Amino acid sequence: MVETAKTAAKTDTDPAGTVAATFEAVRAAYRGGRTRSLGWRSAQLAGIERMVVDREQEFLDALAEDFGKPRVEAWMGDLAPVVKEAAHARRQLRRWMRPQRAFPGKANLPGSAWSVPEPLGTVLVISPWNYPVQLALAPLIAALAAGNAAVLKPSELTPATSAALARLIPEYLDPDAVAVVEGAVDVATALLEQPFDHIFFTGSTAVGRTVMTAAARNLASVTLELGGKSPVIVARDADIEVTARRIAWGKMFNAGQTCIAPDYVLVERPVAEKLVDAVTRAIGELEGPDPSRTRTRIVNARHLGRLEGLLEGSGGTVATGGKVDQAERWLEPTIVVEPDPSSPLMQEEIFGPILPVIAVDSVDEAIAFVQDRPKPLALYLFTRSQRAEERVLASTTSGGVCINHVAMHFFVPELPFGGVGPSGVGAYHGRAGFEELSHRKPVLRRGTRVDLSMAYPPYDEQKEKLLRRFI
Ligand code: NAD
């Protein structure tokens, strides 16, 4: 009997055995062929939409229990993007699945050529804790839209959300072809030993390396959505009030625990002080009178300790904030002016509500600062100057860019989202996600009526002449 994914998801007693059984069950469902049809794919996407809409309260409760995500922030960051992404994929799917014609080349006439996207097979999705619904389901949307079977392992650091996903997914999606396996590193390691066709990992750059190494054993393809330090460049001609509000919003959303949060600011010296004042005011306005309604908690005590350590060793001046509340697991939104560029605060991804601000003499100096560091996941530029925009775009490399805002490029369904180099491999969202999780198979069909002897040996001078004209 093929064990269904639904029954195979309990890993407490024998993680390796259960993981292997789940993989086999899901792969058997894939090999049975039903995940390939448009109907199956559409039904899974519709299932994800229904699940998130119908069970919104259960997800919101889990997110609040795990790390106090405020309701609107949880909906905006975790639930709404999933519904939008699934609906978009469902509506576009028929078009995406169509074969694309190509000219077969003179040498192949008469004939026709096309490429057709086909599923990769069984896909493993490993997701992080910071947007634990969205970063589990958005990769799943791409995998299922592309006709794959999938196993999802949510993060163990957000256990209530992980449990909600494990409970609800089998109710709304095909339980034979889509499985959830809960667990920590031991379970992830056991999963990585299975011969998946593709691994879609979202998490830290360090673990991304481990995942890519494991994938190499089976030559599985990978999508790695990793982290890093996303810089903000503020030019002297920027609208400082709007810039400050948008940076503060991006840094405070989810308490800065966002892969594309603005990590640090490089601001042109003449407006540096004005910007720090404006961000300080914006923080106050965005928090309102009762921070308990607006602040997401730091996910656990270890991460709070890590952030305290970054603050202590920054070598800069705390311009605003800085207070830690262990009981509430909070760190006040904090601005650090002129930290030491070699301090851990400026070397490691912050992933919390601390904003380092460094003054630079010019946009060119900011560009050089960014070029000297690993390619970031996102780069933000605030300016009114088209020349500055063109210069930054032409001289920096990053996963994505957002001009005069932060993070919003993530929400454009038809823009590919992903990193480059140490911030990631591959991209998804919209059609990019569909293509990422598909193999685009080229097909050439030749006619048999014409079969010129010049194509075949033995070759002579005359044949060579003709071949040189046709090939
Ligand atoms: P993490 O790398 O610690 O964990 C991510 C997942 O990997 C979890 O499910 C975890 O159980 C698993 N894991 C941990 N150690 C493993 C190992 N040795 N082998 C296999 N699997 C293992 O990341 P996190 O702390 O959950 O998330 C924060 C990081 O994720 C940040 O660096 C952030 O920038 C990044 N991130 C990136 C994106 C993106 O879209 N690029 C989105 C969110 C978060």
Side-chain angles (χ1 to χ4, degrees):
M1 190 192 96
V2 173
E3 195 172 9
T4 69
K6 200 171 171 179
T7 57
K10 297 177 199 74
T11 54
D12 322 0
T13 42
D14 172 19
T18 316
V19 158
T22 304
F23 171 76
E24 291 298 341
V26 165
R27 186 167 63 173
Y30 174 74
R31 287 186 175 167
R34 69 179 184 280
T35 68
R36 288 176 174 254
S37 73
L38 174 65
W40 184 89
R41 301 182 195 200
S42 299
Q44 306 315 304
L45 297 172
I48 291 180
E49 287 172 71
R50 262 188 299 115
M51 173 175 74
V52 176
V53 171
D54 293 356
R55 313 301 277 270
E56 177 177 310
Q57 195 54 50
E58 279 170 71
F59 282 121
L60 292 176
D61 290 346
L63 291 163
E65 185 183 331
D66 280 332
F67 57 138
K69 273 208 196 201
R71 185 184 166 79
V72 176
E73 206 167 291
W75 173 79
M76 266 171 77
D78 261 293
L79 306 187
V82 169
V83 177
K84 198 166 154 192
E85 181 77 14
H88 177 73
R90 187 173 46 75
R91 283 195 289 266
Q92 299 298 320
L93 197 51
R94 185 184 293 274
R95 196 163 65 86
W96 294 345
M97 285 172 71
R98 266 187 217 137
Q100 284 175 10
R101 296 220 148 271
F103 178 60
K106 278 188 289 184
N108 282 316
L109 292 175
S112 51
W114 66 93
S115 67
V116 60
E118 65 173 18
L120 292 170
T122 45
V123 172
L124 171 62
V125 176
I126 300 181
S127 56
W129 55 264
N130 61 330
Y131 292 90
V133 178
Q134 198 230 122
L135 296 174
L137 295 183
L140 203 57
I141 289 168
L144 303 181
N148 299 286
V151 176
L152 164 68
K153 194 210 79 67
S155 171
E156 70 282 15
L157 297 190
T158 39
T161 310
S162 173
L165 289 165
R167 185 174 71 247
L168 298 177
I169 283 179
E171 270 187 51
Y172 286 85
L173 306 185
D174 178 348
D176 293 329
V178 185
V180 181
V181 177
E182 293 189 76
V185 179
D186 57 332
V187 171
T189 306
L191 281 164
L192 287 171
E193 275 160 18
Q194 305 304 315
F196 281 96
D197 297 291
H198 186 90
I199 300 168
F200 193 120
F201 170 79
T202 308
S204 58
T205 300
V207 178
R209 263 191 207 105
T210 306
V211 169
M212 199 162 178
T213 306
R217 284 199 293 269
N218 299 312
L219 289 179
S221 48
V222 289
T223 308
L224 303 176
E225 298 285 340
L226 310 176
K229 291 180 85 63
S230 298
V232 186
I233 300 175
V234 181
R236 65 189 77 196
D237 66 351
D239 180 326
I240 295 298
E241 289 302 314
V242 174
T243 301
R245 194 176 310 122
R246 292 181 178 179
I247 293 173
W249 171 79
K251 196 62 170 181
M252 290 162 67
F253 201 87
N254 214 32
Q257 301 168 116
T258 303
C259 56
I260 47 170
D263 190 281
Y264 64 93
V265 175
L266 302 169
V267 53
E268 282 198 279
R269 207 173 297 285
V271 293
E273 215 180 300
K274 198 171 157 200
L275 181 76
V276 171
D277 290 346
V279 176
T280 302
R281 274 198 312 280
I283 288 172
E285 282 162 22
L286 298 185
E287 284 226 294
D290 180 7
S292 69
R293 289 166 51 85
T294 50
R295 280 187 201 161
T296 297
R297 269 63 172 175
I298 304 304
V299 70
N300 57 31
R302 183 172 64 82
H303 275 283
L304 186 58
R306 182 184 61 79
L307 292 169
E308 279 185 284
L310 292 183
L311 264 187
E312 274 159 25
S314 80
T317 311
V318 172
T320 190
K323 271 203 215 98
V324 174
D325 184 331
Q326 301 285 354
E328 290 286 356
R329 265 197 354 256
W330 275 338
L331 167 62
E332 274 180 351
T334 301
I335 302 176
V336 178
V337 175
E338 298 302 335
D340 178 349
S342 63
S343 65
L345 183 69
M346 286 306 296
Q347 294 292 324
E348 294 166 18
E349 179 180 14
I350 297 173
F351 225 60
I354 308 173
L355 185 71
V357 178
I358 294 178
V360 290
D361 289 329
S362 63
V363 169
D364 284 337
E365 190 186 332
I367 290 172
F369 192 97
V370 172
Q371 283 172 333
D372 278 348
R373 287 163 174 74
K375 292 169 190 166
L377 182 57
L379 182 140
Y380 304 119
L381 169 67
F382 287 85
T383 186
R384 291 185 176 107
S385 148
Q386 200 177 334
R387 275 193 51 210
E389 181 182 316
E390 282 165 9
R391 225 168 46 246
V392 170
L393 286 176
S395 0
T396 59
T397 299
S398 57
V401 176
C402 187
I403 296 160
N404 290 325
H405 213 314
V406 299
M408 294 305 289
H409 60 302
F410 181 90
F411 298 101
V412 182
E414 277 305 307
L415 277 184
F417 178 81
V420 55
S423 56
V425 174
Y428 72 133
H429 285 183
R431 186 165 199 152
F434 171 84
E435 293 287 344
E436 178 84 0
L437 276 296
S438 300
H439 163 59
R440 185 158 281 281
K441 183 162 73 179
V443 184
L444 170 71
R445 184 199 294 123
R446 283 283 299 266
T448 51
R449 230 168 0 102
V450 181
D451 195 31
L452 298 176
S453 62
M454 72 167 185
Y456 299 102
Y459 299 116
D460 55 24
E461 242 176 73
Q462 206 190 345
K463 278 189 178 180
E464 185 183 343
K465 248 193 222 155
L466 284 168
L467 283 170
R468 282 181 185 274
R469 280 184 53 200
F470 278 94
I471 292 178

